[in-house]
Amino acid sequence: MSEEVKSYVELKNINKYYGDYHASRNVSFGIEKGKLVALLGPSGSGKTTILRMIAGLENPDDGEIIIDGQVVNDIHASKRGIGFVFQNYALFRYMTVYENIAFGLRVQKWDNAKIDARVKELVSLIGLDGLDKRYPSQLSGGQRQRVAFARALAPNPHLLLLDEPFAAIDAKVRQELRSWLKSMIEKLGITSIFVTHDQDEAVEVADEIIITNQGRVEQKGTPVEIYRDPQTSFTAQFFGQTFFVENYHDFKSFDTVEGTTNAILRPEFLKLTKKNEEKKYTVTIAEGIVQSVDFRGSNFEITVKYKDNIFIAKRTLDEPPVEVGEEVDIFVYRLLVLDGDKVHLLKNRALNEESVVI
Amino acid sequence: MTEKNESKYVKYLLITISVIFLFFFLVLPLFVVVTEAFKKGVDQYLQAVTDEYTVKAALLTIEATFFAVFINTIFGVFAAWSITKFRFKGKKILTTLIDLPVTVSPIIAGLIYVLTFGRQSILYPLLEKYDIKVVFAVPGIVLATIFVTFPFVSRELIPVLESQGTDEEEAAALMGANGRTIFWKVTFPHIKWAFLYGVVLCATRAMGEFGAVSVLSGHLRGKTNTLPLHVEILFNEFQYMPAFAVSSVLVVMAIILLIIRSVIEYKGKKEEE
Ligand SMILES: Nc1ncnc2c1ncn2[C@@H]1O[C@H](COP(=O)(O)OP(=O)(O)O)[C@@H](O)[C@H]1O
Ligand SMILES: [Mg+2]
């Protein structure tokens, strides 16, 4: 965001076509040194294309890619100092773990003793000691991913690119691998960009998130910034659990943005109370009917209907339970109003009035 | 219960039909070839097989086979590589063209070369000037053999390369490996068995080629006769015993290649596991 901070990787007005298909539209962003950044967007939004252009596996039709102050458009992929972890790892099937990791070093003509030391160091870094003679087919998904990671890191790249690094791994191991990878990258301090379509993954792992949609960059920021302050309607709807509200004027004590009726709600924007519970903002209450109650481990997800809107609110296990068909009170703290492609965050006026009183 | 019995009957019926079919169309003729070949004793057999013209024909067959395998292997690898690893216009056309030789009748293949390099051809004066003989000469036989065995190697390689994708090559290229290293270290291990299989198929087919070669050869004994053509000549001259003796040589060569082929298939399958 701030112009003063020097970017380590920078894309300036990148455009890319596959035939007639416009896969990257005026993509521009900068990434600071040492950051772990997620490229997040739905499938087909052009994330892989961006990553491949940075790596030099694909050429932009237009625009500049700058790495460490140098325009790299005409520099061959192998000379960009990049480590790349492919979506399905692309490990060399007919080479052992050892040879996979050593490959890049052999190509660079390191001497054998140094190669051996480096490979051993990496094998133990990824916790695969004793498995270095195995072939990729003899490893689990998680182990393969670690090998791909080690192979990419072996020649000491300055920039690490990972395409959907967790997509091919089953849910149980994924969680563990995410934290492993995050701590590994933090430990090494290497600037990294990873692609994902899973927002939980992006939030959990990344320092910063770049949201892509239909070949465009919608927004860039920390997970909290993007969550708090979505700048486009796409981001507002893509990020976090959201519900569409046809007419937000149904809710009391909100300002009106000229010419808008649609808004987005999130479970966290709502407070749902039983009729007999104590409440703070009595004037602005809306009354809804409970449609369903679902237990979600640490809380209840309660689907409520208010006028024509259906949305979900959360209640903790400690609060008195609500039942299907029950009439409940709803208080809305915030709304994300959709204004064409823009988004405005509206706060319930009751909140300000109250704080003035106190 | 009855359903199970029924499927059992079907099974044995089908097996029996297959066995009978194989017996009449394959085993019996092969048996006849061998018995006819040895009808007048081992001495006569050896004499027929080591006859000057037979040896020359065998050498020519080996020569044509060698060139066909060599050239089609190189071409097949390049074609399969470019078709599967690059995106370019006209890829479909190239793929179709490669398959053309197996769909065209060998006789027509032979005639194409006669028309291209024979007396009627516009190229003929040029060939004559440099004293190059193609039609009714060894180069014609080699060309015809190459033509009919054209797609054998590439056809085996394309599916393997296609299923493998380009990721591993990209990974290697990104790490700075050159084309040669990528081919030998990354791609070749994948295609090794399919490659050898294609080579053997190509050799088998090249050895037995008759039609196209027959058109181009001119049947000059000791000069432009391959083994299959030699068999035909002997047969037409009512020299049945020698004809069968020479045939048996071809059969033995084919069986050897068949065994090699099975071994390759077996090894390839085993490695996949
Ligand atoms: N090599 C290619 N040729 C043609 N179209 C492509 C190619 N690669 C990607 N595309 C198209 O570009 C779009 C973006 O692809 P991609 O960058 O892979 O998206 P993502 O990684 O976000 O799923 C998709 O619609 C895809 O079909
Ligand atoms: Mg992708």
Side-chain angles (χ1 to χ4, degrees), chain A residues 18 21 23 41-50 58 163-164 195, chain B residues 87:
Chain A
Y18 293 116
Y21 186 78
S43 173
S45 61
K47 308 178 295 287
T48 300
T49 303
I50 294 173
E58 213 74 67
D163 194 355
E164 307 258 5
V195 159
Chain B
R87 291 174 252 153

Side-chain angles (χ1 to χ4, degrees), chain A residues 161-296:
Chain A
L161 306 176
L162 309 102
D163 194 355
E164 307 258 5
F166 309 103
I169 293 169
D170 48 289
K172 268 191 210 152
V173 195
R174 203 182 297 163
Q175 192 60 38
E176 181 194 339
L177 256 144
R178 276 184 200 163
S179 28
W180 178 81
L181 194 71
K182 185 175 166 68
S183 64
M184 218 26 98
I185 287 175
E186 268 164 12
K187 191 161 116 191
L188 299 166
I190 182 172
T191 313
S192 307
I193 306 174
F194 75 101
V195 159
T196 179
H197 62 266
D198 180 338
Q199 48 157 315
D200 293 337
E201 195 167 292
V203 169
E204 242 172 85
V205 179
D207 301 324
E208 273 188 357
I209 296 176
I210 295 169
I211 305 244
T212 58
N213 177 34
Q214 298 184 341
R216 271 177 280 112
V217 168
E218 294 273 336
Q219 190 169 353
K220 171 175 170 277
T222 64
V224 176
E225 277 166 8
I226 291 181
Y227 180 79
R228 278 230 188 106
D229 187 17
Q231 279 160 9
T232 66
S233 74
F234 177 80
T235 308
Q237 291 175 81
F238 184 69
F239 209 70
Q241 197 178 5
T242 56
F243 313 99
F244 187 74
V245 176
E246 194 80 47
N247 186 0
Y248 70 90
H249 305 301
D250 289 348
F251 297 103
K252 288 172 217 159
S253 70
F254 279 98
D255 291 331
T256 305
V257 180
E258 192 80 25
T260 61
T261 51
N262 298 340
I264 294 289
L265 267 183
R266 290 185 169 155
E268 311 81 53
F269 292 180
L270 303 171
K271 175 77 184 159
L272 191 147
T273 45
K274 286 172 85 77
K275 280 284 170 204
N276 57 6
E277 270 178 296
E278 195 187 316
K279 26 194 102 66
K280 246 177 160 178
Y281 312 104
T282 36
V283 254
T284 57
I285 292 293
E287 282 178 344
I289 306 287
V290 175
Q291 305 286 301
S292 66
V293 179
D294 296 292
F295 182 50
R296 288 283 179 260

Side-chain angles (χ1 to χ4, degrees), chain A residues 45-64:
Chain A
S45 61
K47 308 178 295 287
T48 300
T49 303
I50 294 173
L51 208 67
R52 290 173 61 85
M53 286 191 294
I54 298 172
L57 294 171
E58 213 74 67
N59 292 315
D61 293 312
D62 194 4
E64 278 185 343

Side-chain angles (χ1 to χ4, degrees), chain A residues 108-168:
Chain A
Q108 289 183 7
K109 308 232 165 22
W110 286 32
D111 66 53
N112 280 330
K114 273 176 75 186
I115 291 177
D116 195 56
R118 179 74 178 142
V119 173
K120 293 221 163 97
E121 180 193 343
L122 283 161
V123 167
S124 88
L125 181 80
I126 60 171
L128 289 189
D129 294 283
L131 301 184
D132 59 347
K133 299 233 162 37
R134 291 229 183 143
Y135 286 89
S137 58
Q138 299 166 315
L139 299 176
S140 73
Q143 289 171 330
R144 277 181 217 168
Q145 199 230 34
R146 289 169 192 234
V147 175
F149 179 73
R151 184 180 70 175
L153 284 178
N156 292 313
H158 303 298
L159 175 63
L160 185 64
L161 306 176
L162 309 102
D163 194 355
E164 307 258 5
F166 309 103

